[in-house]
Amino acid sequence: MKYKQLIAKMTLEEKASLMSGKDFWQTQDIERLGINSMFLADGPHGIRRQAVAADKLGLNAGIPATCFPTAATVANSWNAELGEKVGEYLGEEAIAQKVNVLLGPGVNMKRNPLCGRNFEYFSEDPYLAGKMAAGYIRGIQSHGISACVKHFAANNQEQRRMSIDVVVDERTLREMYLTAFEIAVKEGKTKAIMSSYNRLNGVYTNESLHLMQDILRGEWGYQGTVITDWGGSNDRVAGLLAGNELEMPTTAGETDNDIIQAVKDGRIKEEVLDECVDRLLELIFTTEEAYRKPLVEFNVERHHRVSQKVAEESIVLLKNEDNILPLKFGKKVAVIGEFAKNARYQGAGSSIVNPTILDHTMDCFEESGIVNIGYEPGFERYGKKSRKKIAKACELAEKADVILLYLGLDEATEADGLDRKSMRIPDNQIDLLHALHQVNQNIVTILSCGSAVEMPWVDKVKGLLHGYLGGQAGARAILRVLSGDVNPSGKLAETYPLTYEDTPSFPNFPGNEVSVEYRESIFIGYRYYDTANVHVRFPFGYGLSYTTFAYSGLQVNKTGVTFTLTNSGAVAGMEVAQMYVGCNSDNIFRPKKELKGFDKIFINAGESKTVTIPFDEKTFRYFNVKTNQWEIEEAEYTIMIGSSSTDIRLTDTIFVEGTGAPLPYDKNELPSYYSGKITNVSVGEFESLLGRKVPVSTWDRKRPLGYNDTIEQCQYAKGVFGRLMFHAVVFAHWFLRKTGKRNTANLIMMSVYYLPFRGMARMTGGLINMPMVDGILQMVNGHFFKGLRHFLKERHAMRLGRRKKSAN
């Protein structure tokens, strides 16, 4: 241990106190030993240090900071160096705001397009997500502070996220849901990891010895700190035994007492607690080093321009019929769509950044050179239909050469804590599109949303530009692409299916009442579509340019591939060359192809460059559930180089020697997985894959409600009080939505409806403790007056205890 002598000076109570927050955003300090508090802040795409005191939950306005494009946007750049640049600027702003730990990036897989937090995650592919995350981490930590990769692991939905049990086979867990974290740890060298809320195969992630000890600390050699998601601690002692050092936010000493008692009665050896304290001290002291030098204010304008450059490289051109883009000089455009005036530039929930500057589309036309003849909103932002708005938009459209139509999803639709209801753009926006098409077919649509949407209307537009959520400078970046000042180079980091029903997880999302079954196994995203030959709207890795690229001269050897890339068009541009690998053996089920490398290259018109993409330890590996380790199957592999997962330009094969591991599966027991057609996997076949019985996925309505049940389950409560609570929350949500207060309605669903009863103690900063929760549960379970007396008694005892402590 590095800080053995310092720890020896601590009392047991002091050690335990360090394991929980001081308030909502700071760690505990020990003044007499020179141990200071750390400050933690949300920051996947901008610093969110709220302006109010740190003892308030993080739902208040933040101190102004640069709002960079979200992770889902930057992933479309396929440029890990650009991710590192974003991280550097985030780190610089964190220093300016005295933040020790930046809570990001998020690397969870986009298992399903409806996950409400997809805008915060990079990709459906773990290799791409891991490489982008490692870049962010290196950039953030170059300033001496810490990144905090989240949410570890398999947190792929928002609904019931604090109680849902993810049922997934070991191979899928390793290959799909842990690989990005592995890259973040080994290549990014993150100093902190945030555990997720959910259960994983029956155990809360921060209590999972398999996840936290066997894999994270054992196999990956992680020496850093594990921090709970806010309110994500279930059994504090079990979490500590798993190596989860820091619980956030504060519980006002309640869980400190749990740790102290566990040490005294022998459930935790004090040496285990000392090791946890040692790792936390390392994070505190190393991040403090960043503040030894004088603080320097960051250059607001410079950071804004960097945000613009990042957005420019992340914009994806999806359609360009008749070369309608870039806009020809002198063309008169009509700007239509509410998102043109009030840009949708970031997600909602805990990641909301208060931008230092905010570019507006309507203010940027003059410098773009685009001739704008007028603006009409055309639709109500939150879905209300208006014939009058459509009529006025059509009247303007008739006068224009080209329509710039800004469509997208509103802030209340993509939010932390809630999943989307559908993949559709709101009907009132599509009604507008159809009406405009009747009067002017030269439509260029600009999309603003953080995740995949259905596009049955795409034949009605000639140009389609997807800006995703481009941050505070995204509006200007889009105009620079439309005008041709910037040649688009973004490629989709996720597949766009024709319909939601085509997605592989459609039958099993968001799961049943208690659990969600990952029956699709490793076949998520393009791994499924390409293997099962399912037609999609836009494939993974797809994106157009204003120039063209030719691939030639592929050479494959044991260390990697080289080939020639030529800009065969008339303008300079950047191309993302992608390397996919497919195994030609059918002994083990696999996707048809998997991304194993990529490179982004700038090439002038007419120029050629030699591109080298190396193989690494992940290129040919698979996880063998019999040997319980990574293996290589001896076989011939096809190496595919392309411009997207379906646009393969060059292929060759290579024979690879294997590790001689036994075959992990009986092919006859897993017919769906060997065919890749996994949308109707039976319970029996899924159990063969899991190697165990599938747990019951419905609530036991006969048993009393407990700590890990939610307000949602109060609809089955034995007591009238519990059922009244449920109906009151449902009514409040309905009423707030009806009156237009959608963000507040979302907050109720996130922080009340899906909150486990234990969350009342874990998320209130000590206002409620677990004995008081016992009283609430008694009231809910049909013993109202007994429970009320218990609640009041425990509240009085808690207040009395705190007064005595203060007096001492």
Side-chain angles (χ1 to χ4, degrees):
M1 290 195 306
K2 191 172 181 180
Y3 302 99
K4 190 173 182 179
Q5 291 182 330
L6 180 61
I7 294 169
K9 297 175 183 176
M10 294 181 192
T11 65
L12 175 58
E13 289 74 17
E14 286 174 329
K15 294 175 190 177
S17 74
L18 289 173
M19 299 292 96
S20 184
K22 179 180 182 178
D23 49 36
F24 274 98
W25 299 107
Q26 295 183 97
T27 61
Q28 187 60 260
D29 60 314
I30 303 177
E31 193 175 336
R32 75 177 185 88
L33 296 175
I35 299 170
N36 298 320
S37 297
M38 286 190 302
F39 197 98
L40 302 91
D42 285 311
H45 61 272
I47 315 302
R48 180 180 166 78
R49 177 166 181 160
Q50 60 185 22
V52 300
D55 61 350
K56 300 289 190 296
L57 188 59
L59 302 170
N60 305 282
I63 297 168
T66 307
C67 181
F68 291 93
T70 67
T73 312
V74 184
N76 294 330
S77 75
W78 289 63
N79 188 339
E81 291 180 2
L82 188 70
E84 187 165 343
K85 183 65 68 178
V86 173
E88 287 174 9
Y89 282 87
L90 285 170
E92 187 179 333
E93 295 195 22
I95 292 289
Q97 294 196 24
K98 296 186 179 180
V99 170
N100 298 75
V101 179
L102 202 53
L103 303 175
V107 299
N108 295 102
M109 288 299 95
K110 297 184 179 184
R111 173 181 179 250
N112 186 283
L114 298 189
C115 174
R117 214 164 179 177
N118 276 351
F119 66 87
E120 274 192 40
Y121 301 140
F122 290 108
S123 180
E124 66 188 33
D125 182 84
Y127 189 86
L128 176 57
K131 292 293 185 178
M132 294 300 298
Y136 268 67
I137 295 161
R138 286 192 295 267
I140 292 167
Q141 297 188 168
S142 67
H143 291 277
I145 64 161
S146 173
C148 182
V149 179
K150 59 186 186 182
H151 307 87
F152 189 61
N155 181 181
N156 309 111
Q157 67 187 65
E158 294 298 282
Q159 186 167 318
R160 304 189 187 109
R161 67 183 182 182
M162 293 185 79
S163 57
I164 198 77
D165 182 15
V166 173
V167 182
V168 61
D169 68 284
E170 185 71 10
R171 179 184 172 196
T172 299
L173 175 66
R174 299 297 195 111
E175 292 186 14
M176 297 309 304
Y177 298 102
L178 295 186
T179 293
F181 287 100
E182 180 186 359
I183 296 171
V185 168
K186 290 182 176 180
E187 297 181 23
K189 303 191 183 304
T190 185
K191 296 178 182 179
I193 287 180
M194 183 188 291
S195 58
S196 57
Y197 285 126
N198 53 284
R199 291 172 173 158
L200 180 60
N201 292 323
V203 182
Y204 280 101
T205 58
N206 78 310
E207 300 171 9
S208 171
L209 293 172
H210 178 54
L211 191 63
M212 294 292 175
Q213 289 292 337
D214 298 345
I215 299 173
L216 178 61
R217 298 204 186 274
E219 294 180 22
W220 299 350
Y222 180 65
Q223 298 295 317
T225 301
V226 176
I227 303 168
T228 68
D229 203 341
W230 266 235
S233 175
N234 170 50
D235 182 325
R236 187 65 191 103
V237 173
L240 199 68
L241 285 169
N244 178 185
E245 287 81 16
L246 181 59
E247 174 194 24
M248 290 299 289
T250 182
T251 58
E254 183 177 18
T255 54
D256 300 352
N257 292 330
D258 293 342
I259 294 169
I260 293 164
Q261 192 57 47
V263 171
K264 287 180 176 177
D265 63 25
R267 282 178 294 145
I268 296 179
K269 292 181 180 178
E270 193 160 356
E271 293 81 9
V272 172
L273 176 59
D274 289 350
E275 287 174 6
C276 290
V277 171
D278 190 69
R279 287 193 290 262
L280 183 64
L281 289 176
E282 174 70 0
L283 184 64
I284 292 171
F285 291 140
T286 57
T287 57
E288 266 186 354
E289 286 295 319
Y291 299 101
R292 300 291 184 209
K293 16 182 202 187
L295 294 180
V296 178
E297 290 296 316
F298 67 91
N299 186 317
V300 170
E301 184 63 33
R302 184 181 174 208
H303 283 222
H304 180 71
R305 291 302 172 199
V306 169
S307 180
Q308 178 186 317
K309 292 294 184 185
V310 173
E312 289 170 0
E313 194 172 327
S314 306
I315 291 167
V316 188
L317 179 61
L318 294 174
K319 186 176 181 181
N320 196 17
E321 186 181 317
D322 299 334
N323 289 320
I324 194 168
L325 294 175
L327 294 169
K328 308 298 185 290
F329 181 77
K331 289 281 186 183
K332 295 181 295 183
V333 304
V335 181
I336 296 172
E338 214 276 335
F339 293 114
K341 188 174 183 181
N342 298 301
R344 174 80 203 292
Y345 61 95
Q346 64 175 327
S350 62
S351 67
I352 291 180
V353 177
N354 183 9
T356 54
I357 302 170
L358 184 57
D359 285 343
H360 295 281
T361 302
M362 306 311 295
D363 298 333
C364 299
F365 272 103
E366 189 173 337
E367 68 184 67
S368 73
I370 298 171
V371 181
N372 171 29
I373 65 168
Y375 161 77
E376 285 293 338
F379 60 84
E380 296 278 357
R381 193 179 190 87
Y382 294 106
K384 186 178 178 182
K385 295 196 175 187
S386 170
R387 290 183 181 177
K388 184 177 178 182
K389 287 183 183 293
I390 290 177
K392 291 182 75 175
C394 288
E395 185 180 334
L396 175 63
E398 286 183 294
K399 303 170 186 174
D401 297 319
V402 177
I403 300 167
L404 296 183
L405 177 59
Y406 284 74
L407 304 179
L409 299 176
D410 62 67
E411 293 81 357
T413 301
E414 295 181 290
D416 176 358
L418 292 171
D419 294 322
R420 289 195 288 156
K421 300 297 183 187
S422 79
M423 278 186 70
R424 296 189 300 274
I425 296 284
D427 290 342
N428 67 333
Q429 296 184 39
I430 306 310
D431 291 345
L432 170 65
L433 170 58
H434 289 310
L436 291 171
H437 189 263
Q438 294 294 317
V439 300
N440 189 336
Q441 282 80 55
N442 291 323
I443 301 173
V444 174
T445 292
I446 297 95
L447 272 180
S448 298
C449 49
S451 48
V453 293
E454 292 175 355
M455 300 185 197
W457 40 263
V458 74
D459 60 328
K460 296 289 176 70
V461 305
K462 286 189 176 180
L464 179 58
L465 197 68
H466 202 334
Y468 269 70
L469 301 177
Q472 65 184 49
R476 178 177 272 108
I478 285 169
L479 287 178
R480 282 174 54 78
V481 172
L482 291 171
S483 69
D485 288 338
V486 170
N487 187 353
S489 63
K491 303 264 190 175
L492 292 177
E494 59 188 317
T495 308
Y496 277 57
L498 290 172
T499 67
Y500 174 58
E501 289 73 19
D502 289 338
T503 58
S505 57
F506 165 71
N508 299 289
F509 183 91
N512 213 321
E513 296 166 321
V514 173
S515 63
V516 54
E517 297 168 7
Y518 285 26
R519 293 196 191 188
E520 71 280 358
S521 181
I522 58 176
F523 295 101
I524 73 168
Y526 72 90
R527 285 171 167 77
Y528 164 68
Y529 300 116
D530 290 357
T531 305
N533 295 316
V534 175
H535 186 58
V536 298
R537 183 71 66 191
F538 297 111
F540 176 79
Y542 176 83
L544 300 175
S545 171
Y546 294 151
T547 190
T548 54
F549 297 95
Y551 292 69
S552 62
L554 176 62
Q555 294 183 326
V556 180
N557 58 39
K558 290 185 177 181
T559 61
V561 304
T562 60
F563 55 93
T564 301
L565 188 61
T566 302
N567 184 338
S568 51
V571 294
M574 287 187 282
E575 170 70 335
V576 178
Q578 302 157 39
M579 181 178 76
Y580 297 88
V581 175
C583 181
N584 296 337
S585 164
D586 62 357
N587 288 327
I588 302 166
F589 70 83
R590 297 194 188 216
K592 186 176 181 179
K593 63 175 77 78
E594 297 180 275
L595 182 73
K596 296 296 182 178
F598 59 91
D599 196 6
K600 190 166 192 175
I601 308 99
F602 174 84
I603 312 181
N604 287 311
E607 184 184 7
S608 295
K609 287 188 176 180
T610 299
V611 181
T612 299
I613 301 178
F615 297 151
D616 60 25
E617 76 282 355
K618 299 176 182 63
T619 304
F620 302 106
R621 75 179 190 177
Y622 75 96
F623 192 82
N624 187 305
V625 292
K626 272 193 177 176
T627 63
N628 195 39
Q629 64 185 21
W630 294 101
E631 305 283 3
I632 295 174
E633 182 182 4
E634 185 165 300
E636 188 178 74
Y637 291 80
T638 300
I639 309 299
M640 294 161 268
I641 306 297
S643 188
S644 79
S645 69
T646 61
D647 184 9
I648 301 300
R649 308 288 184 88
L650 304 170
T651 61
D652 200 350
T653 59
I654 185 172
F655 180 80
V656 178
E657 292 182 2
T659 50
L663 294 177
Y665 305 116
D666 181 339
K667 194 182 294 188
N668 296 320
E669 292 181 354
L670 305 170
S672 299
Y673 297 107
Y674 275 86
S675 70
K677 297 175 181 177
I678 42 69
T679 52
N680 291 301
V681 175
S682 67
V683 173
E685 189 175 355
F686 186 48
E687 287 181 339
S688 294
L689 181 70
L690 282 173
R692 64 181 187 278
K693 286 287 185 184
V694 174
V696 176
S697 62
T698 52
W699 291 320
D700 180 358
R701 290 160 172 72
K702 294 180 182 178
R703 67 169 177 79
L705 297 181
Y707 292 139
N708 291 314
D709 295 311
T710 65
I711 301 299
E712 181 186 17
Q713 289 155 272
C714 283
Q715 60 187 297
Y716 308 119
K718 293 179 181 178
V720 175
F721 175 71
R723 295 195 296 275
L724 282 174
M725 279 176 63
F726 167 78
H727 289 295
V729 171
V730 170
F731 174 77
H733 178 260
W734 171 85
F735 179 77
L736 288 164
R737 283 192 65 85
K738 276 290 184 182
T739 54
K741 297 178 179 177
R742 289 172 172 79
N743 289 329
T744 308
N746 285 352
L747 183 61
I748 281 181
M749 294 300 286
M750 175 180 71
S751 59
V752 180
Y753 191 73
Y754 292 129
L755 185 72
F757 281 93
R758 64 177 164 79
M760 295 180 183
R762 300 294 191 244
M763 285 288 279
T764 55
L767 291 176
I768 296 175
N769 62 17
M770 291 301 283
M772 291 162 69
V773 173
D774 290 334
I776 294 170
L777 283 169
Q778 286 179 341
M779 289 189 274
V780 164
N781 286 317
H783 305 286
F784 179 79
F785 292 107
K786 181 180 178 183
L788 180 61
R789 284 195 298 272
H790 184 89
F791 177 87
L792 294 173
K793 175 187 171 187
E794 292 297 339
R795 186 178 69 166
H796 176 73
M798 181 182 75
R799 289 179 172 177
L800 191 63
R802 286 180 184 168
R803 279 200 294 268
K804 287 180 179 177
K805 190 176 180 180
S806 298
N808 294 332

